[in-house]
Amino acid sequence: MPLEAPLAPVTQRVAHLNDRYRHHAAKAVLERALSDPQVGRIAMVSSFGAESVALLHMLSVLDRSVPVLFVDTQMLFEETLAYQLEVSEKLGLTNVQVLRAEAETLSTVDPDGVLHQTDTDACCHLRKVVPMEQALSGFDAWITGRKRFQAGTRAALEFFENEGDKRIKVNPLAHWAPQDVQDYIINNRLPRHPLVAQGYPSIGCAPCTSKVAPGEDPRAGRWRNQDKEECGIHFINGKVVRGPLPQGDMQ
């Protein structure tokens, strides 16, 4: 059997992929990402949050065996853990991998589980970023459910994104509007996260997620009153970004 040709640099492949699939719909972008040799070995990352079921369903229609990486920070809502099991079973996902921080590391760095009270960045890094980075080291690309409307840091999101020249991030829903997500969930009769009906339109870890009042930004309940928009898994130019990018960095 001949050896596979090495992949071109990430920057080159991202530019090619965005140019090639720029005008494709979300499902077509996902389908191409799963089959285009320029993408390489790929997994989906899902929080099984408020809107996750749309992309998970789309994946299940195309290939239920694709690895789905789910980080259990051990600070999630019980409803999220139950929802993850419910959705995985309903969609027939056969390769959901639950990731957790190493017990020895947790006992050393955050033995009392209160790190989030003093340093949310350090807590996110410990419980989410490190386990995810370790899992993704075996892949050339990963699929996310990020969308442009979700935050200022995502306003210029493309379908294919360069993650620090290491991997490609694929964002099939980048151009979707909030109503697109809701329509997809309704039309496909998908189960909703139980906390959505209780006033949580965006759901993360229990200690750092609060209810959102009518008229508030849907992500206002994430790290409320903190200068923080991302957990740390998603970087721009290798750094966590706290707010909208300067215009020159949006290109």
Side-chain angles (χ1 to χ4, degrees):
M1 179 180 296
L3 296 176
E4 294 183 2
L7 293 171
V10 175
T11 302
Q12 181 179 329
R13 287 185 285 131
V14 164
H16 169 78
L17 290 163
N18 277 323
D19 183 63
R20 186 173 181 183
Y21 301 122
R22 187 175 307 278
H23 302 296
H24 283 55
K27 186 176 180 181
V29 169
L30 178 58
E31 186 172 13
R32 298 302 188 276
L34 297 176
S35 59
D36 195 310
Q38 287 295 309
V39 176
R41 299 164 298 173
I42 192 168
M44 178 176 285
V45 171
S46 181
S47 66
F48 286 81
E51 298 177 341
S52 300
V53 71
L55 189 56
L56 287 165
H57 176 266
M58 204 175 289
L59 179 70
S60 73
V61 172
L62 296 170
D63 188 347
R64 295 178 178 179
S65 68
V66 171
V68 177
L69 310 182
F70 168 64
V71 181
D72 177 7
T73 63
Q74 301 177 69
M75 288 192 167
L76 299 175
F77 290 95
E78 289 298 322
E79 290 88 343
T80 297
L81 298 175
Y83 185 63
Q84 182 263 310
L85 296 174
E86 176 191 359
V87 170
S88 299
E89 181 177 356
K90 181 177 178 62
L91 300 183
L93 301 171
T94 62
N95 196 1
V96 177
Q97 301 176 19
V98 180
L99 314 176
R100 298 183 181 92
E102 296 179 357
E104 183 177 350
T105 303
L106 284 176
S107 65
T108 301
V109 181
D110 190 18
D112 300 317
V114 296
L115 182 60
H116 66 277
Q117 297 178 6
T118 57
D119 192 337
T120 53
D121 282 347
C123 185
C124 288
H125 184 79
L126 170 68
R127 296 177 176 272
K128 199 167 188 178
V129 178
V130 172
M132 183 63 69
E133 182 63 28
Q134 291 174 342
L136 285 174
S137 63
F139 296 96
D140 304 303
W142 54 297
I143 304 158
T144 89
R146 295 187 303 156
K147 308 160 195 74
R148 288 184 172 188
F149 72 78
Q150 289 175 321
T153 55
R154 303 178 180 183
L157 201 62
E158 298 285 358
F159 286 137
F160 298 91
E161 188 178 7
N162 181 354
E163 184 188 32
D165 294 329
K166 296 183 298 183
R167 283 179 295 270
I168 294 175
K169 283 197 286 190
V170 185
N171 310 302
L173 309 185
H175 302 290
W176 274 24
Q179 194 57 47
D180 294 327
V181 181
Q182 299 309 313
D183 288 346
Y184 189 95
I185 293 174
I186 292 170
N187 293 338
N188 290 281
R189 300 180 180 180
L190 301 175
R192 293 182 181 273
H193 194 299
L195 290 180
V196 172
Q198 299 180 35
Y200 294 86
S202 181
I203 303 162
C205 291
C208 298
T209 305
S210 58
K211 292 185 178 181
V212 173
E216 276 193 299
D217 184 282
R219 287 177 66 87
R222 304 289 297 276
W223 307 287
R224 188 178 289 278
N225 300 321
Q226 296 188 47
D227 185 21
K228 181 178 174 70
E229 289 188 26
E230 301 278 8
C231 64
I233 282 180
H234 300 293
F235 293 85
I236 295 178
N237 296 331
K239 298 176 289 185
V240 178
V241 178
R242 298 296 180 212
L245 289 173
Q247 192 62 38
D249 292 334
M250 297 290 281
Q251 300 173 358

